[in-house]
Amino acid sequence: MKIALAQLNYHIGNFEYNTNKIIESIEQAKVKGVDLIVFAELAICGYPPRDFLEFDEFIDLSEKAAYQIASHCKGIACIVGLPVKNEALAGKDLYNAAYFIEDGQVKRIVKKALLPNYDVFDEYRYFEPGKNFECVDFKGVKIAVTICEDLWNINNNPLYVSCPMDELARQKPKLMINIAASPFSYIHDEARAAVLSANAKQYNLPLLYVNQIGAQTEIIFDGGSMAFDAKGNMIDEMPYFIEDMRIYDFEDNKIQGLEPIQQQTVPDIEQIYEALVLGIKDYFVKSGFTKAVLGLSGGIDSAIVCALACRALGSENVMGVLMPSKYSSDHSVQDALELAKNLGCKHEIIPIKDVADVFDKVMAPVFTGLPFNLTEENIQARCRGVIVMAMSNKFGYILLNTSNKSECAVGYGTLYGDMCGAIGVLGDVYKTQVYELAQFINKDGVVIPVNTIVKPPSAELRPDQKDSDSLPDYDTLDKILFQYIELKKSSSAIIAQGYDEALVRRIIKMVNTAEFKRYQTPPILRVSPKAFGMGRRMPIVGKYLS
């Protein structure tokens, strides 16, 4: 039996696009003599569809697409994910399901049992868990088909009390197939492979796993579909961040012709880079946008975002706007110009001094006798926000936000100024990781100007301003933020690691009191195990300071 795994990039709600992509893969597989082709979780409608699932028409279109796909399954079978109506009177209206299609007909409906309800997942909001488990019979082979999380209860995961594979194993299957929508984070690939390997080993069955790729707003899928032998050895791994299709020969209860291999070891920063490029590209392509604009300050954050955007969209589609203030240094302008030259992107220079001076003059009667402070600094940042949004409106550019995770965490940014934008590119990348990205981008030659990397970071909104005037050293700040945000450690637990008590409490208070700002920022491309946004839901008015 020849089995193909189709690792594809889907588009939520774009049924014509998804259906055509699936059918095209089916036809390609037919030519290669494939017996069964396997697609990802909710492939027909795209994942995660969220509240689209509350529209009856959305579910009807999913089913209509499935039957269109079925009409092409003559001489080949397929497994494909979609939402399916729950015809029972009790429970949620839908199942997260997969159709097994053979000879143009739906022969089996597989229903996901373990519905994740943590971090970015919210499947219990929409789906009823499946309770009946039955293997798929195909060409004399019993196949245990599961959907993503159904394999994540290995070793008695305390999140779940049921175990679909225990039920399926009693039917003596010869092969496991798992279809998934497993989001990317830079630590998830190894954990994912370990879970799959443990399943293959525990049930003494070969395993084929298919994941999807592509970005759906902030969530990015990295692919990395895999095959394992019955001893839990990885025997194949598909590429990350690109579409692919692999064909496997399954005979005599094993996947033939493949020997154990090592999992791809890609440095975290390279994974983050590729994920961000894909995130930008898919946000634009799937939204129907083509051109990006961003403010170029000469600093490292905007430089990295510009470089990523040029890679994702093409340099000809990226506009950098230099907006020097009366406090901007000459080298900042030169650094930004050098970057634009290195990347080959378009740029404009629009000074904000006169604009900011007008605001100062208008507000002078109200501010009489009061000293220059954060107010005037924020006015400058908001002048810049107005200018880049004007460029967006006039020329049809989409504004990229350049704030990094360290700044987002502690509220070091100006609402309606440097915090505006359509998508946050670096909002899940700590400042120390931004510097790592710069080194990675420059590995084959200077793209990010050296001075941009080595100079002390500054917003340049007052004379001789530096980030260190307001924030702890980024090396220390990022380590404490990681403990609090990603690892969810309490202040006492962090202090116990040897960090200064006053500093820890100050940082955690900054994080918590900045929540109102983060609620007003754009969606952020998720690359870590705990990003701001849908995966971290905190009350704005909460008093808890840990």
Side-chain angles (χ1 to χ4, degrees), residues 338-387:
E338 182 181 344
L339 175 80
K341 180 181 178 181
N342 292 347
L343 293 171
C345 67
K346 295 178 284 188
H347 70 276
E348 294 286 349
I349 302 177
I350 306 175
I352 66 166
K353 177 184 180 301
D354 292 346
V355 181
D357 285 347
V358 169
F359 272 103
D360 290 342
K361 182 178 180 181
V362 168
M363 300 304 297
V366 183
F367 292 167
T368 299
L370 299 175
F372 179 102
N373 65 2
L374 186 64
T375 304
E376 285 77 14
E377 292 182 28
N378 284 342
I379 285 174
Q380 294 173 77
R382 290 181 178 125
C383 288
R384 287 171 173 152
V386 169
I387 289 170

Side-chain angles (χ1 to χ4, degrees), residues 334-482:
Q334 291 305 312
D335 292 342
L337 289 173
E338 182 181 344
L339 175 80
K341 180 181 178 181
N342 292 347
L343 293 171
C345 67
K346 295 178 284 188
H347 70 276
E348 294 286 349
I349 302 177
I350 306 175
I352 66 166
K353 177 184 180 301
D354 292 346
V355 181
D357 285 347
V358 169
F359 272 103
D360 290 342
K361 182 178 180 181
V362 168
M363 300 304 297
V366 183
F367 292 167
T368 299
L370 299 175
F372 179 102
N373 65 2
L374 186 64
T375 304
E376 285 77 14
E377 292 182 28
N378 284 342
I379 285 174
Q380 294 173 77
R382 290 181 178 125
C383 288
R384 287 171 173 152
V386 169
I387 289 170
V388 287
M389 284 307 303
M391 296 291 287
S392 172
N393 294 158
K394 184 64 71 175
F395 299 109
Y397 298 123
I398 298 302
L399 178 59
L400 298 176
N401 179 271
T402 64
S403 300
N404 62 64
K405 189 171 188 175
S406 307
E407 295 169 344
C408 292
V410 298
Y412 190 64
T414 303
L415 277 173
Y416 328 118
D418 56 310
M419 294 179 71
C420 63
I423 189 78
V425 177
L426 297 179
D428 198 28
V429 181
Y430 287 115
K431 187 75 168 189
T432 47
Q433 293 175 311
V434 173
Y435 284 103
E436 291 181 52
L437 279 171
Q439 297 296 339
F440 177 78
I441 291 169
N442 281 0
K443 68 183 187 302
D444 297 321
V446 175
V447 176
I448 311 299
V450 173
N451 193 56
T452 294
I453 299 172
V454 300
K455 68 185 177 185
S458 169
E460 295 191 323
L461 297 176
R462 64 173 183 265
D464 301 318
Q465 182 186 35
K466 294 181 177 61
D467 289 5
S468 56
D469 298 338
S470 304
L471 301 177
D473 173 78
Y474 278 117
D475 284 339
T476 302
L477 174 64
D478 289 355
K479 289 173 183 175
I480 293 173
L481 290 174
F482 183 85

